[in-house]
Amino acid sequence: MDTDVFVTQPIPQPGLELLRRAHPGFRINSEERVLERAQLLEEVRGAAAILALLTDLIDAEVLDAAGGRLRIVANMAVGFDNIDLQAASARGIMVTNTPGVLTDATADLAWALLFAVARRIPESERFLRAGRFRHWGPLLFLGADIAGRTLGIVGAGRIGSAVARRARGFDMKVLYCNRSPRPQLETELGARRTSLEELLREADFVSLHLPLTPETRHIINARALALMKPTACLINTGRGPLVDEAALVEALAAGRPAGAALDVFEREPEVHPGLLARDDVVLTPHIGSATTSTRARMAVMAAENLIAGLRGERPPNLLNEEAWERKRPRE
Ligand code: GLV
């Protein structure tokens, strides 16, 4: 019998082709929608490998529903806060992600959002489409300057650093806060490492690039928002719960910060109605890595991790070394 592989949703063809070659009998939820919890629990039963998406909550219950054959969960995302890594490690189940291949696409989107909120692009487009553009106006849609301003990077990992590097073209001053110094950013860009407080006080654009952990949840809360300049904008392409959305709605209403551009939300796909109601907020539906070639590379990477894990090889993007050490025997 072919090893049971379950894919939770259609992914780009190059990933599916790899899977088809290695595991021709793989199963897939062929509808383009997130499986209901009960369906997920049912579908994973007996699987040796699951190719999951960031929208699938893979916790102890799902791992146990899969049963004793499950050896690997390959997430098609760089973030893996949807997976209970500890529960997987405790059961000897390997977990992998797709780092690196989506760095540029996500950094590009952070900049697209920065421009969009600074220059009020979605708002002015709505105005035009509504037939309200009657003449050029000296006061029409005045926005914020970008060139020469200060960019604050919260979390200078791969994506945060790529966002920082793009600031070179706009003569921006770059501040960053990160657990460890990034000497290359300092020499390349003259970037300066600061505390989060100092960054929030000084930056004109604050861009979030932290993984979501219990420590980073709501790192941008009412207190943090109150430190921002009244003219500053917040950009989030990381994970929604980094920001306390209710606090952000209140802060925007109070005029500090001036705007926000968000690709991720606390309770996706729900968006706080207070954000939907505001013109000074730009909203996109979690499309950071959504380019054709990036998603294809992510799918291939996830498939390669899964195939390697099932072959008994150490998957290239293994997140839990403990699981490799005490990995489950092949069926
Ligand atoms: C996208 O959000 C990812 O983590 O890959």
Side-chain angles (χ1 to χ4, degrees), residues 75 132 136 174 209 236 331:
N75 213 33
R132 296 167 62 199
W136 179 88
V174 178
H209 303 287
N236 189 8
E331 67 199 69

Side-chain angles (χ1 to χ4, degrees), residues 54 76-80 98 102 106 237-239 264 286 289 295 298:
L54 58 89
M76 197 187 106
V78 65
F80 50 90
T98 61
L102 46 71
T106 310
T237 52
R239 282 292 181 266
V264 286
H286 202 149
S289 63
R295 286 283 166 82
M298 290 167 71

Side-chain angles (χ1 to χ4, degrees):
M1 194 191 90
D2 187 32
T3 312
D4 191 2
V5 172
F6 180 60
V7 182
T8 64
Q9 254 191 75
I11 59 170
Q13 275 305 325
L16 291 179
E17 272 155 32
L18 271 185
L19 284 180
R20 199 165 289 127
R21 259 181 268 143
H23 298 282
F26 77 89
R27 295 183 294 115
I28 185 164
N29 158 38
S30 53
E31 291 169 48
E32 265 182 60
R33 65 172 179 85
V34 181
L35 286 174
E36 303 285 343
R37 181 77 179 168
Q39 276 178 300
L40 179 65
L41 291 170
E42 179 58 33
E43 293 284 5
V44 298
R45 203 183 314 157
I50 303 171
L51 195 149
L53 307 180
L54 58 89
T55 41
D56 303 311
L57 175 65
I58 308 288
D59 57 8
E61 191 185 13
V62 173
L63 299 174
D64 289 338
R69 282 190 188 165
L70 183 63
R71 279 185 279 140
I72 181 162
V73 178
N75 213 33
M76 197 187 106
V78 65
F80 50 90
D81 47 281
N82 58 309
I83 301 180
D84 185 338
L85 208 58
Q86 242 184 326
S89 298
R91 290 161 178 76
I93 299 164
M94 296 179 277
V95 178
T96 61
N97 69 340
T98 61
V101 292
L102 46 71
T103 301
D104 283 327
T106 310
D108 289 347
L109 188 83
W111 272 90
L113 290 178
L114 187 156
F115 282 117
V117 68
R119 299 303 302 271
R120 305 172 62 183
I121 294 172
E123 184 189 356
S124 57
E125 200 205 8
R126 286 193 292 273
F127 172 89
L128 180 148
R129 284 181 188 272
R132 296 167 62 199
F133 179 33
R134 309 241 194 273
H135 49 75
W136 179 88
L139 301 178
L140 191 61
F141 285 109
L142 305 185
D145 284 320
I146 295 163
R149 295 298 163 106
T150 299
L151 174 65
I153 301 288
V154 182
R158 289 187 201 83
I159 298 171
S161 297
V163 173
R165 286 198 182 93
R166 283 158 172 70
R168 232 182 335 204
F170 298 93
D171 292 326
M172 293 179 90
K173 183 171 154 191
V174 178
L175 305 177
Y176 74 98
C177 73
N178 199 58
R179 264 199 307 225
S180 51
R182 293 277 184 235
Q184 220 183 329
L185 289 185
E186 300 186 12
T187 48
E188 251 179 64
L189 311 174
R192 188 162 64 82
R193 182 167 171 238
T194 66
S195 63
L196 177 62
E197 285 72 17
E198 185 180 349
L199 183 148
L200 291 169
R201 274 200 190 94
E202 290 191 17
D204 297 298
F205 299 97
V206 174
S207 192
L208 307 181
H209 303 287
L210 293 166
L212 177 63
T213 65
E215 293 74 42
T216 62
R217 181 175 294 274
H218 283 190
I219 192 164
I220 302 300
N221 55 18
R223 207 183 65 82
L225 291 161
L227 296 174
M228 291 179 73
K229 291 181 181 177
T231 50
C233 295
L234 177 72
I235 297 135
N236 189 8
T237 52
R239 282 292 181 266
L242 296 174
V243 177
D244 178 343
E245 278 178 6
L248 177 60
V249 169
E250 276 187 31
L252 289 164
R256 179 196 297 260
L262 310 170
D263 184 48
V264 286
F265 304 93
E266 257 194 279
R267 283 170 287 275
E268 291 178 18
E270 270 174 53
V271 178
H272 193 297
L275 294 172
L276 288 169
R278 296 196 67 88
D279 265 335
D280 50 9
V281 178
V282 176
L283 305 162
T284 50
H286 202 149
I287 56 168
S289 63
T291 73
T292 307
S293 69
T294 296
R295 286 283 166 82
R297 288 161 81 194
M298 290 167 71
V300 164
M301 208 168 183
E304 284 173 347
N305 280 318
L306 183 151
I307 293 165
L310 286 183
R311 258 197 218 126
E313 294 164 11
R314 189 181 184 289
N317 307 106
L318 182 67
L319 291 165
N320 52 349
E321 199 58 44
E322 314 86 284
W324 173 246
E325 278 153 22
R326 47 185 308 228
K327 62 181 180 297
R328 287 177 165 177
R330 299 170 79 162
E331 67 199 69

